[in-house]
Amino acid sequence: MDGQLDGRYRLVAEIARGAIGVVWRAMDSVTGEPVAVKLLRPEAAAASDLVTGFLAEAEILAGLDHPGIVRVRNLIATEGVMGLVMDLVPGADLRRRLRTGGPLPAALAAGVAAQVADALDYIHAMGITHGDVKPGNLLLPDDGGPVRLADFGVARRTGQPAGPTLATPEYVAPEVVAGDQPSPAADVYALGIVIYELLSGRSPYRGGPPSDVLRRHAGCVPVPPAGMPTPLWDIADACIQL
């Protein structure tokens, strides 16, 4: 896709693609800075419920100011085009990092967990549940800056009317599997699963169809993987048992 959005943003290269959106690396012609632009696919932009969710994500992000959260810069809302302009974070997400480099060293995993926990504590204090904490939504900057929590597409405010739950099966809390709405405790549970994965290279419940994965959250108890440092296992276990 070529061209300039909103008379300002020149799309350069696609970074990531999801079910309803595409993230592009772009250049801001006003500031001269590289940015990330998350665009709804045309078919999604034509669906009123998806547009409403996209605008809700923009509204939530606009009210957040934390070094561990990807900052939103602008909202593009023109006929047929819906986009969010955000900080560009050069570096891989943790899903890609695990796939290419294997489990993280214990010290790095501990640092990542602490930074994500701090970002979650911030949004929870703001009355927001992320709802999809997983390695693919955690960005590890090349410059050594803070780990960034990204993709607030399914985030919700406390007291928001219930809607469909869209959490990723490998990280969804048992109470959400049972039908409850995601809460801050569900984010903490997901963080525990992430810590496990950072040290072992895989989540404890991976394998088989999503229905099987979901059942394991309710009926199984993870055990520490071989070589996992006891202090980190204690933290992961406390999150999972919360």
Side-chain angles (χ1 to χ4, degrees), residues 44-55:
S48 60
D49 58 332
L50 296 180
V51 170
T52 297
F54 194 78
L55 293 174

Side-chain angles (χ1 to χ4, degrees), residues 5 11 20-25 35-41 54 57 61 74-76 82-86 150-154:
L5 295 173
L11 303 182
I20 65 172
V22 182
V23 180
W24 290 80
R25 180 190 302 272
V35 294
V37 178
K38 179 180 179 180
L39 292 177
L40 275 183
R41 293 185 179 185
F54 194 78
E57 178 183 5
L61 284 171
N74 200 359
L75 171 66
I76 300 170
M82 297 290 299
L84 275 179
V85 182
M86 301 171 289
D151 197 346
F152 281 67
V154 300

Side-chain angles (χ1 to χ4, degrees), residues 4-239:
Q4 190 158 288
L5 295 173
D6 204 30
R8 176 171 181 173
Y9 304 103
R10 179 174 59 86
L11 303 182
V12 177
E14 184 178 316
I15 299 173
R17 179 175 291 265
I20 65 172
V22 182
V23 180
W24 290 80
R25 180 190 302 272
M27 288 298 299
D28 184 339
S29 63
V30 173
T31 66
E33 295 178 308
V35 294
V37 178
K38 179 180 179 180
L39 292 177
L40 275 183
R41 293 185 179 185
E43 60 272 24
S48 60
D49 58 332
L50 296 180
V51 170
T52 297
F54 194 78
L55 293 174
E57 178 183 5
E59 188 269 334
I60 285 175
L61 284 171
L64 301 180
D65 182 14
H66 187 278
I69 295 171
V70 175
R71 181 170 62 102
V72 66
R73 297 186 177 205
N74 200 359
L75 171 66
I76 300 170
T78 60
E79 185 174 352
V81 178
M82 297 290 299
L84 275 179
V85 182
M86 301 171 289
D87 286 345
L88 179 67
V89 182
D93 63 62
L94 278 167
R95 166 69 65 221
R96 186 174 302 175
R97 168 64 176 79
L98 289 169
R99 285 176 176 170
T100 59
L104 302 186
L108 178 56
V112 167
Q115 292 174 66
V116 176
D118 187 65
L120 290 176
D121 182 64
Y122 170 78
I123 68 169
H124 293 164
M126 299 285 285
I128 295 166
T129 297
H130 184 275
D132 199 18
V133 177
K134 60 183 180 182
N137 286 338
L138 301 173
L139 307 180
L140 194 62
D142 288 337
D143 63 5
V147 176
R148 304 287 191 92
L149 178 62
D151 197 346
F152 281 67
V154 300
R156 68 179 69 227
R157 295 187 180 278
T158 302
Q160 180 179 341
T165 297
L166 301 173
T168 304
E170 289 181 45
Y171 309 93
V172 63
E175 67 271 18
V176 178
V177 175
D180 291 348
Q181 291 300 308
S183 67
D187 282 345
V188 175
Y189 176 90
L191 176 58
I193 300 294
V194 168
I195 295 171
Y196 183 107
E197 185 167 0
L198 295 181
L199 272 298
S200 67
R202 67 184 304 276
S203 66
Y205 299 133
R206 179 181 300 177
S211 58
D212 288 350
V213 176
L214 292 173
R215 280 196 294 270
R216 293 184 193 119
H217 286 282
C220 299
V221 177
V223 297
M228 187 171 190
T230 298
L232 281 174
W233 167 249
D234 289 343
I235 293 171
D237 189 48
C239 292

